[in-house]
Amino acid sequence: MKKPRRWSEIRSLIAWWVVVTVVLWVLGIVFDQPVRLAGCAATAALVIAIGEVGDRLRRRWSSGRAARARGTG
Protein backbone atom coordinates (compact mmCIF):
# COMPACT_ATOMS: atom_id res chain seq x y z
CA MET A 1 0.00 0.00 0.00
CA LYS A 2 2.84 2.42 0.69
CA LYS A 3 4.42 2.17 -2.75
CA PRO A 4 1.61 3.81 -4.76
CA ARG A 5 1.34 6.61 -2.19
CA ARG A 6 5.09 7.20 -2.27
CA TRP A 7 5.13 7.40 -6.09
CA SER A 8 2.17 9.76 -6.00
CA GLU A 9 4.04 11.96 -3.54
CA ILE A 10 7.18 11.91 -5.70
CA ARG A 11 5.21 12.87 -8.82
CA SER A 12 3.56 15.69 -6.90
CA LEU A 13 6.91 17.04 -5.69
CA ILE A 14 8.37 16.88 -9.20
CA ALA A 15 5.35 18.71 -10.61
CA TRP A 16 5.68 21.44 -7.97
CA TRP A 17 9.41 21.70 -8.61
CA VAL A 18 8.83 22.20 -12.34
CA VAL A 19 6.11 24.80 -11.74
CA VAL A 20 8.16 26.77 -9.20
CA THR A 21 11.24 26.61 -11.44
CA VAL A 22 9.34 28.00 -14.43
CA VAL A 23 7.68 30.71 -12.33
CA LEU A 24 11.04 31.86 -10.94
CA TRP A 25 12.59 31.82 -14.40
CA VAL A 26 9.73 33.80 -15.95
CA LEU A 27 9.78 36.32 -13.09
CA GLY A 28 13.49 36.81 -13.64
CA ILE A 29 12.88 37.51 -17.33
CA VAL A 30 9.93 39.84 -16.62
CA PHE A 31 11.95 41.89 -14.13
CA ASP A 32 14.95 41.95 -16.48
CA GLN A 33 17.23 40.06 -14.11
CA PRO A 34 19.99 37.82 -15.42
CA VAL A 35 18.70 34.35 -14.54
CA ARG A 36 19.82 30.86 -15.40
CA LEU A 37 17.43 27.97 -15.48
CA ALA A 38 19.81 25.87 -13.32
CA GLY A 39 19.81 28.54 -10.63
CA CYS A 40 16.02 28.72 -10.68
CA ALA A 41 15.82 24.94 -10.42
CA ALA A 42 18.15 24.89 -7.41
CA THR A 43 16.23 27.67 -5.69
CA ALA A 44 12.93 25.93 -6.39
CA ALA A 45 14.26 22.70 -4.86
CA LEU A 46 15.38 24.60 -1.76
CA VAL A 47 12.04 26.41 -1.40
CA ILE A 48 10.09 23.16 -1.78
CA ALA A 49 12.34 21.30 0.68
CA ILE A 50 11.90 24.02 3.30
CA GLY A 51 8.15 23.99 2.71
CA GLU A 52 7.91 20.21 3.06
CA VAL A 53 9.93 20.20 6.29
CA GLY A 54 7.78 23.01 7.67
CA ASP A 55 4.59 21.18 6.73
CA ARG A 56 5.73 17.96 8.41
CA LEU A 57 6.72 19.84 11.56
CA ARG A 58 3.36 21.61 11.58
CA ARG A 59 1.50 18.31 11.23
CA ARG A 60 3.54 16.68 13.98
CA TRP A 61 3.02 19.67 16.28
CA SER A 62 -0.73 19.83 15.70
CA SER A 63 -1.24 16.07 16.12
CA GLY A 64 0.75 16.12 19.37
CA ARG A 65 -1.27 19.09 20.55
CA ALA A 66 -4.54 17.32 19.73
CA ALA A 67 -3.38 14.20 21.58
CA ARG A 68 -2.54 16.26 24.67
CA ALA A 69 -5.95 17.91 24.51
CA ARG A 70 -7.57 14.47 24.48
CA GLY A 71 -5.33 13.35 27.32
CA THR A 72 -3.79 10.46 25.35
CA GLY A 73 -0.30 11.84 24.85
Side-chain angles (χ1 to χ4, degrees), residues 16-67:
W16 272 113
W17 175 68
V18 169
V19 169
V20 174
T21 299
V22 170
V23 167
L24 289 172
W25 185 61
V26 168
L27 283 173
I29 291 170
V30 167
F31 289 110
D32 200 29
Q33 297 292 318
V35 294
R36 295 180 59 199
L37 192 56
C40 293
T43 302
L46 180 65
V47 167
I48 290 170
I50 290 170
E52 285 295 315
V53 167
D55 182 53
R56 298 212 180 168
L57 288 174
R58 179 192 58 83
R59 287 178 191 220
R60 178 179 283 176
W61 184 71
S62 68
S63 70
R65 192 169 165 205

